[in-house]
Amino acid sequence: MRIGLVTEGGYPYASGDGTLWCERLVRGLGQHEFDLYALSRSRRQEEDGWVPLPRQVGRVRTAPLWGTEDTGARHGRRARRRFAEYYGELAAVLCATGTAGQTGRAGQTGRVGRTGRAGQGAPAAWGARGGRAVWAGQDGTGPAGRSDDEADRFAYALYGLAELARDTGGGLAGALRSESAVRALEHACRAPGAHREAREARVPDLLGVAVHLEHALRPLTLDWYGDDGLGAADLCHTAGGGTAALPGLLARHFCDVPLLVTEYGAPLRAHHLAATAARTAPAVRSLLAAFHARLAAEVYRQAAVITHGNAHTRRWQERCGADRARLRTVPPGMDATPFAEAGEAGGGAGASGARGVGGTGGSGGAGARTRAHGADTLVWTGRVEPAKDLVSLLHAFAEVRWEHPGARLRIVATAAPDGHEAADYLAHCKALAAQLFPYEAEGPHTVGENPVAFEEVGGPEVPALADAYASGAVVVLSSVVEGFPSGLVEAMFSGCATVSTDVGAVVEVIGGTGLVVPPRNPRALGEACVALLRDPERRARLGAAARARALELFTVERNIAAFHSIYLEVVSRCPVRRVVLDDSGAPLPFAAPAESHLAGPPGFPGPPDRRTGPATRHPGTAAPGPSVAAPARTAPSWAAAAPGRTPTRRPATEAAR
């Protein structure tokens, strides 16, 4: 089948979020064709270029979400009236207090933000009139005014703007940043029934909201939704919610392409945290939160299947209105190969007590078990930042040293501190470690050393991350905020016993193969570590069970197999109905048989290789790195259209007759 994969700030760019799992997914499903639709977040990301693309990637189309785009298009009176109507309805929904009927859309006169009574008739439904989205009563005979359902009002405004952008050739960016947009926001904020934060919005706040909405709604202006884009896909898979899912929504709206949404985090939660960290004004934060919440609800309502990586993300999805029947749990796939040697050797250095020696020996590989004091060493790995709560870990280690004087702690950073806040936090932790644990020496003629070591992956002591896990008896996770604990899964691959705080998806990942304590509780964390340091047999049992659980649930192969099954499920339940006509207007059955997109036995001619032509990129996007061109493939003769006929896609309205 042909998959339209939509990403935001990720694959195929070399830098970004979710690049690794998307690349593994595309490479692992070689029996399918992939068309990539990438939204970039910065000029630097585009200048960094792309990762090498596999053979099954047909084409790549990119668009920026950064900078200012204005095609200079000038709209006529009718287009301006339609824009005022749709944008005014969008603003009214964002400013509504949540009670149906308090604010509403004006009638079909085009006046923005006028309040009135909600329709008292039958529930509203979608209809079409002259190529435009309109409200219709239950009988579909005419407009029914406004709907009590704010979700439907938001959808009306969103799809109305999308249809306006398509009718005007995509020239909507200027209108979204225009004075008319700001006036519509101001009118909605001053209308009766607007919530308190919206009423307090000032002109600078409204300008900021308009700019953010223009960036978030920029996918409406793209030309990705025709027969030469997402409309030709059998399935649209969006690697994220929010703005990344907007192209999938429009492909669903215009071309009836089924939508699959994958979220390995909570976009709405991330937006709230980012707005709080940026010290955004309360009015701006409230209006943007309302927009992202409404967009998430519409994405979940239209998606055929919604996947998540853990129960924490699933709870956010359900809170935003996702139907439980459409939710699927697909844990992120991680590569277990780098940790195979450590895991097969029987866990960390102290997993077998005083034995402390692995199968290979030495000091450079993941199987090295001869590091000093390995059986008494605690290991922490990850990015050094306040959310990891290393302060509590250091205080917990003080409890461990009191009960187990020979214990040592290795804090291994997987990356350099990102920003001044992380660097200051690392310096604070080092100062606290020096204060809590002064340098100690074993005798009067030996050099003293601190039992706490701060190291980085790639240094002389830790050449690779697997070496860190192999050198310790217990791996500790002390976070107060955590999504999917990838470091914990790596420790499980290595066969290590673990002590973790009960945050995020930790309990779901660890199961019963490790100890879990409350967050911000140094005494409980220290007692759990001491219990494992004193019981090597228990460490060995927990490490073996953790490795077996990780290999069963969290491998790349398991992730790819799950998505392959979901692809087949979605396409079988929601097939795209395409009616092809010949030059005389008669239906042309079997013009594009399903066999033309199926992988056959070795030597069987597959679908044509569409990578021979140049990929469609935004002008500011750097070209991908050099790669070896794949040999061209041709479709079988029976899969081609009959000679002398020009297949065209029949409009959806005609196909329904």
Side-chain angles (χ1 to χ4, degrees):
M1 67 184 73
R2 180 176 297 173
I3 310 298
L5 182 62
V6 184
T7 64
E8 178 191 356
Y11 190 72
Y13 293 109
S15 59
D17 301 331
T19 298
L20 187 58
W21 82 264
C22 287
E23 182 178 11
R24 289 171 175 170
L25 176 69
V26 173
R27 291 185 178 275
L29 294 177
Q31 66 270 41
H32 301 305
E33 292 184 78
F34 284 87
D35 292 338
L36 305 182
Y37 299 85
L39 301 170
S40 64
R41 292 178 179 170
S42 65
R43 181 184 298 275
R44 179 178 179 181
Q45 186 178 50
E46 293 190 349
E47 292 175 349
D48 289 342
W50 303 344
V51 298
L53 301 178
R55 177 186 179 88
Q56 55 266 31
V57 174
R59 56 186 165 187
V60 181
R61 304 181 71 172
T62 66
L65 292 180
W66 50 273
T68 302
E69 280 201 353
D70 190 354
T71 59
R74 297 294 179 264
H75 305 301
R77 181 184 304 174
R78 183 178 180 183
R80 292 197 302 269
R81 186 165 57 246
R82 290 175 61 187
F83 175 79
E85 176 185 348
Y86 297 136
Y87 199 89
E89 176 69 0
L90 178 67
V93 173
L94 301 185
C95 296
T97 58
T99 303
Q102 289 187 354
T103 61
R105 177 178 61 86
Q108 301 298 329
T109 60
R111 299 180 63 182
V112 180
R114 195 173 71 185
T115 59
R117 293 176 55 84
Q120 301 295 328
W126 280 103
R129 175 176 300 171
R132 295 173 52 190
V134 298
W135 287 111
Q138 193 172 25
D139 56 357
T141 57
R146 293 176 289 107
S147 171
D148 290 341
D149 190 353
E150 292 181 357
D152 287 341
R153 293 172 56 200
F154 178 84
Y156 168 80
L158 182 68
Y159 298 132
L161 290 173
E163 292 170 358
L164 176 61
R166 184 180 62 172
D167 295 342
T168 57
L172 201 62
L176 292 172
R177 304 172 70 101
S178 65
E179 183 180 355
S180 299
V182 179
R183 288 186 179 276
L185 288 170
E186 183 179 17
H187 198 291
C189 291
R190 305 294 183 262
H195 54 78
R196 179 174 57 85
E197 291 82 0
R199 293 196 303 269
E200 295 175 353
R202 299 295 180 260
V203 173
D205 300 333
L206 298 177
L207 290 173
V209 172
V211 171
H212 181 91
L213 291 180
E214 188 274 327
H215 283 277
L217 296 175
R218 190 168 292 183
L220 300 181
T221 65
L222 302 177
D223 58 346
W224 291 357
Y225 315 112
D227 293 341
D228 59 342
L230 284 170
D234 299 308
L235 169 68
C236 180
H237 185 181
T238 64
T243 304
L246 197 50
L249 272 182
L250 300 185
R252 169 71 174 167
H253 177 71
F254 289 126
C255 307
D256 203 27
V257 176
L259 174 61
L260 167 63
V261 178
T262 295
E263 291 180 336
Y264 282 128
L268 192 58
R269 174 180 176 272
H271 165 74
H272 289 324
L273 294 177
T276 302
R279 301 181 183 275
T280 309
V284 178
R285 189 163 60 245
S286 175
L287 292 174
L288 296 184
F291 170 78
H292 287 286
R294 296 295 181 192
L295 180 59
E298 179 62 19
V299 169
Y300 297 153
R301 185 169 67 164
Q302 297 297 335
V305 173
I306 308 161
T307 67
H308 50 265
N310 52 70
H312 175 71
T313 304
R314 186 190 70 238
R315 288 192 293 268
W316 274 91
Q317 292 172 340
E318 292 178 350
R319 187 176 181 86
C320 292
D323 184 5
R324 288 189 177 184
R326 304 180 189 179
L327 297 178
R328 305 287 188 275
T329 301
V330 182
M334 300 183 61
D335 187 9
T337 305
F339 313 99
E341 186 178 353
E344 293 171 358
S352 56
R355 183 178 55 195
V357 178
T360 60
S363 59
R369 312 290 177 183
T370 58
R371 298 187 189 275
H373 309 291
D376 300 320
T377 301
L378 304 178
V379 176
W380 178 95
T381 64
R383 300 180 66 92
V384 178
E385 55 187 4
K388 303 302 181 181
D389 198 13
L390 294 182
V391 173
S392 293
L393 175 62
L394 292 173
H395 284 286
F397 185 62
E399 299 284 340
V400 174
R401 290 279 294 181
W402 181 264
E403 299 290 339
H404 200 82
R408 300 175 60 83
L409 173 63
R410 302 185 70 184
I411 297 178
V412 181
T414 56
D418 185 12
H420 296 290
E421 183 180 6
D424 294 342
Y425 185 74
L426 176 60
H428 171 70
C429 292
K430 289 182 177 180
L432 179 61
Q435 181 180 1
L436 292 176
F437 312 102
Y439 283 78
E440 300 176 355
E442 296 181 357
H445 303 290
T446 57
V447 178
E449 59 180 4
N450 196 300
V452 179
F454 290 85
E455 300 164 332
E456 287 188 12
V457 174
E461 293 294 329
V462 190
L465 189 57
D467 293 289
Y469 297 122
S471 66
V474 178
V475 175
V476 186
L477 184 144
S478 57
S479 303
V480 294
V481 176
E482 193 76 46
F484 182 84
S486 57
L488 194 60
V489 176
E490 293 170 348
M492 295 169 68
F493 281 143
S494 302
C496 297
T498 60
V499 176
S500 312
T501 51
D502 187 5
V503 293
V506 166
V507 173
E508 185 178 359
V509 168
I510 204 68
T513 64
L515 303 187
V516 180
V517 299
R520 293 192 178 96
N521 193 332
R523 175 173 295 182
L525 186 63
E527 291 177 353
C529 292
V530 170
L532 290 184
L533 288 177
R534 290 178 173 177
D535 194 344
E537 293 184 358
R538 187 183 183 188
R539 292 201 309 267
R541 290 195 304 269
L542 290 176
R547 175 171 168 79
R549 177 179 175 84
L551 292 176
E552 180 183 1
L553 298 178
F554 306 119
T555 60
V556 175
E557 294 76 14
R558 181 65 178 262
N559 180 269
I560 292 174
F563 276 114
H564 178 63
S565 177
I566 291 174
Y567 284 176
L568 297 179
E569 174 190 353
V570 172
V571 173
S572 64
R573 294 185 178 182
C574 309
V576 180
R577 306 295 183 183
R578 294 188 176 93
V579 178
V580 182
L581 306 178
D582 60 11
D583 52 359
S584 63
L588 188 63
F590 307 110
E595 294 88 342
S596 63
H597 292 291
L598 291 179
F604 185 83
D609 187 0
R610 291 175 286 114
R611 291 200 53 206
T612 54
T616 304
R617 303 192 310 273
H618 184 265
T621 306
S627 59
V628 179
R633 296 182 294 175
T634 58
S637 58
W638 45 263
R645 295 179 176 179
T646 304
T648 57
R649 188 171 184 271
R650 189 176 182 181
T653 54
E654 295 183 9
R657 295 177 183 173

